[in-house]
Amino acid sequence: MSIMYCPVTDTPRTLAHGGDTPWHRAVLQRWETLVQRVGDLAIRLVDEPDIEAATWRLPAEPASVGLARRLTSERLSAWDLEKLSDVTELLVSELVTNVLRHTGCGDLVVRLSVVEGLLRCEVEDSDDSLPDVARPTTGDESGRGLLLLDSLACCWGAQRTRSGKIIWFELPACALR
């Protein structure tokens, strides 16, 4: 089961391309879905999408929140996406903090990818329970992480995996260059 928060819903597509990993194949599948959605409105200049990707396995401990922010910032800088850094770092740190607060996982994985102007960030852990969006009151000190995600990302969601779940969000990278 998976959940997605986005104005446009995906329909299942068959995967025509190979890939090195299931994650790489998923990125290519998102590209194919985008091309199918826009049809003749897009001029396809290359046979394959231009993909930038980074993955880090971090221990589930408080120091990993800051480390995830720093690694994210450095990677976005290397990809010339510094304008996305503040929002991306905030949302990545919220997702990593949620793993620390709400799961008993030993480690987590943070992934970033840019495919044709779309930045995707994923945080994977070994707990298969999907998140619930809290409705905190004014006096509550926590419970706003997913509301921030909902407010700042163009879309986000969560999906179960064989070994847990992935929570992801996407930001348009091309509009800020």
Side-chain angles (χ1 to χ4, degrees), residues 7 9 16 21 23 25 45 49 52 66 87 98 128 138 141 149-150 154:
T9 58
T21 65
W23 179 67
R25 288 188 300 271
L45 300 175
E52 298 281 358
V87 171
N98 281 353
D128 68 351
T138 307
E141 293 183 11
L149 196 61
D150 201 43
C154 64

Side-chain angles (χ1 to χ4, degrees), residues 147-169:
L147 292 174
L148 277 171
L149 196 61
D150 201 43
S151 296
L152 298 174
C154 64
C155 59
W156 69 277
Q159 64 191 61
R160 286 192 175 103
T161 64
R162 288 184 190 181
S163 60
K165 71 173 169 303
I166 294 173
I167 302 177
W168 58 269
F169 66 89

Side-chain angles (χ1 to χ4, degrees), residues 50-174:
D50 187 19
I51 299 173
E52 298 281 358
T55 302
W56 305 281
R57 181 172 296 279
L58 305 174
E61 57 187 38
S64 292
V65 177
L67 180 57
R69 288 177 70 100
R70 184 177 56 78
L71 292 168
T72 298
S73 175
E74 290 171 358
R75 186 55 55 150
L76 291 178
S77 180
W79 291 341
D80 196 27
L81 294 173
E82 292 92 349
K83 291 182 180 179
L84 285 175
S85 195
D86 288 342
V87 171
T88 307
E89 287 178 57
L90 173 64
L91 296 179
V92 165
S93 65
E94 287 294 334
L95 294 183
V96 171
T97 299
N98 281 353
V99 170
L100 298 177
R101 263 197 154 161
H102 302 292
T103 74
C105 300
D107 61 356
L108 56 100
V109 176
V110 176
R111 290 186 195 93
L112 300 178
S113 65
V114 178
V115 179
E116 299 299 319
L118 187 66
L119 173 68
R120 182 177 176 103
C121 302
E122 299 178 352
V123 176
E124 182 176 3
D125 63 61
S126 60
D127 182 344
D128 68 351
S129 59
L130 296 176
D132 288 323
V133 179
R135 301 290 177 216
T137 62
T138 307
D140 290 341
E141 293 183 11
S142 63
R144 292 176 178 78
L146 295 179
L147 292 174
L148 277 171
L149 196 61
D150 201 43
S151 296
L152 298 174
C154 64
C155 59
W156 69 277
Q159 64 191 61
R160 286 192 175 103
T161 64
R162 288 184 190 181
S163 60
K165 71 173 169 303
I166 294 173
I167 302 177
W168 58 269
F169 66 89
E170 294 178 343
L171 298 169
C174 60

